[in-house]
Amino acid sequence: MHEDFLDELGELALGSRLKRVSEKMLADAAKVYEHFGMAIQPKWFTLLALLDKKHTVSVVEASEYLGLSQPALSQFCRQLSAKELINVAADKSDSRKKVIQLSAKGRVQVQVMKPIWSAVNLAAIELSEQSNNQFYQALLLFEASLAEKSLLQRSQHHFKQLANTQLSEEQINIIEFKPTLASYFDVINSQWIEEMFVLEEVDKRVLRYPQKNIIEKGGKIWFAEHPSLGIVGTCALLNKGNGAYELTKMGVLKTARGLKVGEILLQHVIEQAQSLPLNCLFLLTNAKCEAAIHLYEKNGFVHDKEIMDSFGRSYQRCDVAMRWTQEDFATNL
Amino acid sequence: MHEDFLDELGELALGSRLKRVSEKMLADAAKVYEHFGMAIQPKWFTLLALLDKKHTVSVVEASEYLGLSQPALSQFCRQLSAKELINVAADKSDSRKKVIQLSAKGRVQVQVMKPIWSAVNLAAIELSEQSNNQFYQALLLFEASLAEKSLLQRSQHHFKQLANTQLSEEQINIIEFKPTLASYFDVINSQWIEEMFVLEEVDKRVLRYPQKNIIEKGGKIWFAEHPSLGIVGTCALLNKGNGAYELTKMGVLKTARGLKVGEILLQHVIEQAQSLPLNCLFLLTNAKCEAAIHLYEKNGFVHDKEIMDSFGRSYQRCDVAMRWTQEDFATNL
DNA sequence: AATATTTATATAAGCGCTTATGTAAAATTT
DNA sequence: AAATTTTACATAAGCGCTTATATAAATATT
């Protein structure tokens, strides 16, 4: 048998660990009922206890008390009715509502189970207090903290700290393509394309084999590296022949949005493009990509109908064509 | 909105509470991935982390490391293969085995996720340490205690203490039938009949309406009451006419087995039967009920073929007939 | 060497919920 | 009063596992 890998993951696997423990507890509860000959399913326990205490509740009320979904309670009611442990009747003043209560048999069944509940309660207290560790109290506090500020919010906060610590523009490092980085090209671009469009077959081919489809055809690929997040952005130049280059597959991971990675990358690509036998630098995109288009406009690209007519049919999703104009860009510098 | 009923149940609802928290954590984890644009399901997390650490594992190895079932891992592998995040190949030296490892894309996907994992880890640590309460540490201890001695074992121990405290024979109180106790007759008998046989239609009718089917026909029902467990046993006398009475539906709850409740009850019934215009006291049972037959033999019942012939066809499951003999019983006194 | 047992994996069915959705009744708005 | 929205519940489908079972390969036993 192997060691427990969750131990190595520590707090990161807290969720998985909690799930594992809760499943163990529920499985044990089932064994307890079985051992004492009770034809009762553990999932019914909270509802039976609620009915014992409150006498009558409706389906929705029960779901609110117990923190379970309404359909869950609806199902429990059907099952407990079949076992004749509860009576279900329409509410007199509101015919949508159902009034649930224990039947005479159900009340007796609960009475008969109560000593078992007491024993389980003592067992749970014993477990909780093992080694002076007030597990139950800690769990209550944990739940309260989680309700106050969710794991998502807390994670977002910590992530922001991680991504922004001492970040200045010079710390985004632009590096050239090498085969070991090929998959970053795939992962980074797949992310935004899948989010905004659907990944077409032509995309998949280019993303999977960038070396063959871009580099070996005289194109270029760059990556942007963040000091703590690693490689977070990429951009390619496709060699279309006759000195025409298409700027394409520019993407920044969602984890690095808002850090100006896109702009740094784009400016680097434009700058590097100057050392190519450049005749025409253009790009194709979709009107949906507002932020990107704004970035392109800001960095010397202008909308161009001619480009649209000559190259626009390559991709289904492209309805915007832009061409880089050295003049405009130079005056911006 | 109603208050949280689990609060009222305290430690008894520890399992339900753990389940609720773990589901909340997992749901939040899914939101974290979604927020950062990762097309990754939280359930894959432990496997991806394992592959990142160990590089290659088989399906069974992974299931052992992670504490999940082998089919679960088998399914994860299919899903991650479809996403091209892992490579699965047959083991060279054992063609049953599959060697699982991250693909190039998978390794990059993990690299890209690692900052998120770090942030979640910090968030979990923060939650765990909230209000100086080392929840994670407490959970580890709780898990260890549970592994050392299960909830079932602990519950059994506490139950035994509850059932046996200061129990002497006089504390089992025999009481006569009254309508409010009718359901105990049903619940107690259903338990053992369902365990040993199947509940026939005739059983259900008698158990559901004991007053109509037994009392009003000149029969009798008694209950045995335990000082802390409540009503735990029952026994009936059926009036068969002409001074013949059938001892039937004698049962003791599994929670009260081993406390001599059956014997006390039986002796009480035999004693009370003397005040009836008694001609013949008999019972029908099944050879499977060895413990019961032994108890009957010990208390003056002898096997009787004549009874079998005249009454044995009433129930399908009966293949043993016994008759009480005053003589034998008297000599035993 | 033949046979039985064990091991690794896949597949199917089930379980305890969930979310999504539909229907009818009640409450609210117009 | 009529139309709209909300509420209560049921049903269906799905999800993340589980247990049970089948299959094939490896290992141990005879």
Side-chain angles (χ1 to χ4, degrees):
Chain A
M1 201 58 181
H2 291 98
E3 73 271 27
D4 184 357
F5 187 66
L6 296 196
D7 286 344
E8 287 188 47
L9 291 173
E11 278 91 340
L12 184 51
L14 192 54
S16 305
R17 197 177 281 278
L18 279 166
K19 181 162 200 184
R20 200 169 69 178
V21 181
S22 80
E23 270 164 14
K24 178 104 184 60
M25 293 283 286
L26 269 299
D28 260 28
K31 278 189 215 151
V32 171
Y33 284 123
E34 205 197 323
H35 176 260
F36 289 115
M38 299 288 154
I40 289 290
Q41 298 187 35
K43 63 178 174 177
W44 296 332
F45 157 64
T46 52
L47 178 56
L48 291 175
L50 180 69
L51 289 172
D52 180 54
K53 184 79 180 277
K54 305 277 177 192
H55 300 105
T56 71
V57 289
S58 74
V59 173
V60 167
E61 276 164 18
S63 78
E64 287 169 350
Y65 275 123
L66 304 179
L68 293 169
S69 69
Q70 166 266 315
L73 270 295
S74 206
Q75 288 167 25
F76 292 179
C77 285
R78 191 152 26 93
Q79 294 156 4
L80 288 169
S81 271
K83 287 229 146 209
E84 301 183 326
L85 296 177
I86 61 172
N87 294 324
V88 178
D91 186 299
K92 293 222 169 77
S93 65
D94 183 344
S95 71
R96 294 169 307 174
K97 249 189 208 172
K98 292 201 163 177
V99 176
I100 312 165
Q101 56 186 341
L102 289 172
S103 65
K105 186 175 171 182
R107 280 195 301 274
V108 163
Q109 184 64 254
V110 167
Q111 285 311 309
V112 156
M113 278 192 292
K114 274 188 177 172
I116 301 175
W117 289 353
S118 301
V120 172
N121 192 42
L122 291 172
I125 290 172
E126 181 187 302
L127 267 165
S128 171
E129 293 180 345
Q130 202 81 352
S131 338
N132 277 336
N133 223 301
Q134 299 292 320
F135 178 67
Y136 180 70
Q137 295 305 320
L139 179 57
L140 290 184
L141 274 168
F142 183 83
E143 248 191 313
S145 303
L146 205 57
E148 187 197 291
K149 192 176 171 189
S150 75
L151 184 70
L152 174 62
Q153 290 172 301
R154 291 172 198 268
S155 301
Q156 285 172 337
H157 176 250
H158 286 286
F159 189 87
K160 216 166 265 175
Q161 288 205 317
L162 233 138
N164 284 323
T165 9
Q166 311 153 319
L167 185 71
S168 65
E169 217 164 279
E170 304 83 59
Q171 289 194 266
I172 301 294
N173 197 18
I174 309 295
I175 50 185
E176 283 225 28
F177 179 86
K178 48 188 169 188
T180 55
L181 299 181
S183 290
Y184 279 98
F185 190 69
D186 190 351
V187 168
I188 294 169
N189 279 302
S190 295
Q191 191 183 75
W192 73 263
I193 297 175
E194 280 177 345
E195 199 183 309
M196 304 203 78
F197 311 99
V198 262
L199 216 54
E200 294 169 32
E201 267 316 305
V202 56
D203 291 316
K204 283 184 191 167
R205 206 176 328 119
V206 171
L207 293 179
R208 190 108 81 107
Y209 306 107
Q211 177 128 22
K212 199 178 110 196
N213 289 293
I214 300 177
I215 304 292
E216 288 174 10
K217 290 182 176 169
K220 290 263 185 184
I221 299 176
W222 290 271
F223 295 99
E225 192 177 29
H226 179 284
S228 57
L229 302 182
I231 293 184
V232 292
T234 187
C235 184
L237 279 189
L238 232 53
N239 181 2
K240 306 295 279 188
N242 299 110
Y245 287 87
E246 180 187 343
L247 190 148
T248 184
K249 300 285 179 280
M250 183 168 124
V252 174
L253 284 178
K254 231 178 163 181
T255 45
R257 299 270 166 94
L259 302 173
K260 302 217 181 271
V261 176
E263 184 145 36
I264 296 163
L265 192 56
L266 180 60
Q267 286 171 2
H268 183 91
V269 170
I270 292 169
E271 191 194 312
Q272 292 294 306
Q274 309 306 314
S275 57
L276 296 168
L278 187 73
N279 183 12
C280 166
L281 176 60
F282 70 96
L283 60 86
L284 297 162
T285 185
N286 184 288
K288 263 165 90 178
C289 305
E290 288 170 45
I293 291 170
H294 182 251
L295 180 67
Y296 297 139
E297 286 168 342
K298 197 175 148 198
N299 285 277
F301 281 87
V302 294
H303 295 262
D304 190 312
K305 207 178 147 3
E306 224 171 282
I307 294 287
M308 189 66 217
D309 294 339
S310 44
F311 296 104
R313 273 150 223 86
S314 326
Y315 295 93
Q316 285 192 308
R317 61 167 169 272
C318 295
D319 61 0
V320 171
M322 301 180 89
R323 181 199 183 97
W324 186 66
T325 62
Q326 196 149 17
E327 298 75 35
D328 283 16
F329 185 55
T331 59
N332 274 354
L333 280 175
Chain B
M1 200 59 183
H2 292 99
E3 72 271 27
D4 183 358
F5 187 65
L6 296 196
D7 287 344
E8 288 189 45
L9 291 174
E11 277 92 340
L12 184 52
L14 193 53
S16 305
R17 198 177 279 278
L18 279 167
K19 180 161 203 184
R20 200 168 69 178
V21 182
S22 79
E23 270 164 14
K24 179 103 184 60
M25 292 284 286
L26 269 300
D28 259 29
K31 279 189 213 151
V32 171
Y33 284 123
E34 205 196 323
H35 176 260
F36 289 115
M38 299 288 153
I40 290 288
Q41 297 187 35
K43 63 178 174 177
W44 296 331
F45 158 64
T46 51
L47 178 56
L48 291 175
L50 180 68
L51 289 172
D52 180 54
K53 184 80 181 276
K54 306 276 176 193
H55 300 105
T56 71
V57 289
S58 73
V59 173
V60 166
E61 276 164 19
S63 78
E64 286 169 351
Y65 275 122
L66 305 180
L68 294 169
S69 69
Q70 166 266 316
L73 270 295
S74 203
Q75 288 166 25
F76 292 0
C77 285
R78 190 152 28 92
Q79 294 157 5
L80 289 169
S81 271
K83 288 230 145 209
E84 299 182 329
L85 296 176
I86 61 171
N87 294 323
V88 177
D91 186 300
K92 292 219 170 78
S93 65
D94 183 344
S95 71
R96 293 170 307 175
K97 250 188 207 173
K98 292 202 163 176
V99 176
I100 312 166
Q101 57 186 343
L102 289 171
S103 65
K105 185 174 171 183
R107 280 195 301 274
V108 163
Q109 184 63 255
V110 167
Q111 284 311 309
V112 155
M113 276 193 293
K114 275 188 177 172
I116 302 175
W117 290 352
S118 301
V120 172
N121 192 41
L122 290 172
I125 290 173
E126 180 187 304
L127 266 166
S128 172
E129 293 180 345
Q130 202 80 354
S131 335
N132 277 336
N133 223 302
Q134 299 292 321
F135 178 67
Y136 180 70
Q137 295 305 322
L139 179 57
L140 290 184
L141 274 168
F142 183 83
E143 249 191 311
S145 303
L146 205 56
E148 188 197 292
K149 192 177 170 188
S150 74
L151 184 71
L152 174 62
Q153 289 172 301
R154 290 171 198 269
S155 300
Q156 286 173 336
H157 176 249
H158 285 286
F159 190 87
K160 215 167 266 176
Q161 287 205 316
L162 234 139
N164 284 322
T165 8
Q166 312 152 320
L167 186 71
S168 64
E169 216 164 282
E170 304 83 59
Q171 289 193 267
I172 301 295
N173 198 16
I174 308 295
I175 50 184
E176 284 225 27
F177 179 85
K178 47 190 169 187
T180 54
L181 300 181
S183 290
Y184 279 98
F185 190 68
D186 190 349
V187 168
I188 294 170
N189 278 302
S190 295
Q191 192 183 76
W192 73 263
I193 296 175
E194 279 176 346
E195 199 183 307
M196 304 203 77
F197 311 98
V198 261
L199 216 56
E200 293 169 32
E201 267 315 305
V202 55
D203 290 317
K204 282 184 191 167
R205 206 176 329 119
V206 172
L207 293 180
R208 189 110 82 106
Y209 306 107
Q211 177 129 22
K212 200 178 109 196
N213 289 293
I214 300 177
I215 304 293
E216 289 173 10
K217 290 182 176 168
K220 290 264 185 183
I221 299 176
W222 290 271
F223 294 100
E225 192 177 30
H226 179 283
S228 56
L229 303 182
I231 292 184
V232 292
T234 186
C235 184
L237 278 188
L238 231 55
N239 182 0
K240 304 296 279 189
N242 299 108
Y245 287 86
E246 179 187 345
L247 190 147
T248 184
K249 299 285 178 280
M250 183 169 124
V252 173
L253 284 178
K254 230 177 162 182
T255 46
R257 299 271 165 94
L259 302 173
K260 302 219 182 270
V261 176
E263 184 145 34
I264 296 163
L265 193 56
L266 180 61
Q267 287 171 0
H268 183 91
V269 170
I270 292 170
E271 190 193 311
Q272 293 292 306
Q274 309 307 312
S275 58
L276 296 168
L278 186 73
N279 183 12
C280 166
L281 176 61
F282 70 97
L283 60 86
L284 297 163
T285 185
N286 184 289
K288 261 165 92 178
C289 306
E290 288 170 43
I293 291 171
H294 181 249
L295 180 66
Y296 297 140
E297 286 169 341
K298 197 176 148 198
N299 285 276
F301 282 86
V302 294
H303 295 261
D304 189 312
K305 208 177 145 6
E306 224 171 284
I307 295 286
M308 190 66 218
D309 294 340
S310 43
F311 295 104
R313 273 148 223 88
S314 328
Y315 295 92
Q316 285 192 309
R317 62 168 170 271
C318 294
D319 62 1
V320 171
M322 300 180 90
R323 181 199 185 97
W324 185 67
T325 60
Q326 195 151 16
E327 300 75 32
D328 282 14
F329 185 54
T331 57
N332 274 354
L333 282 175

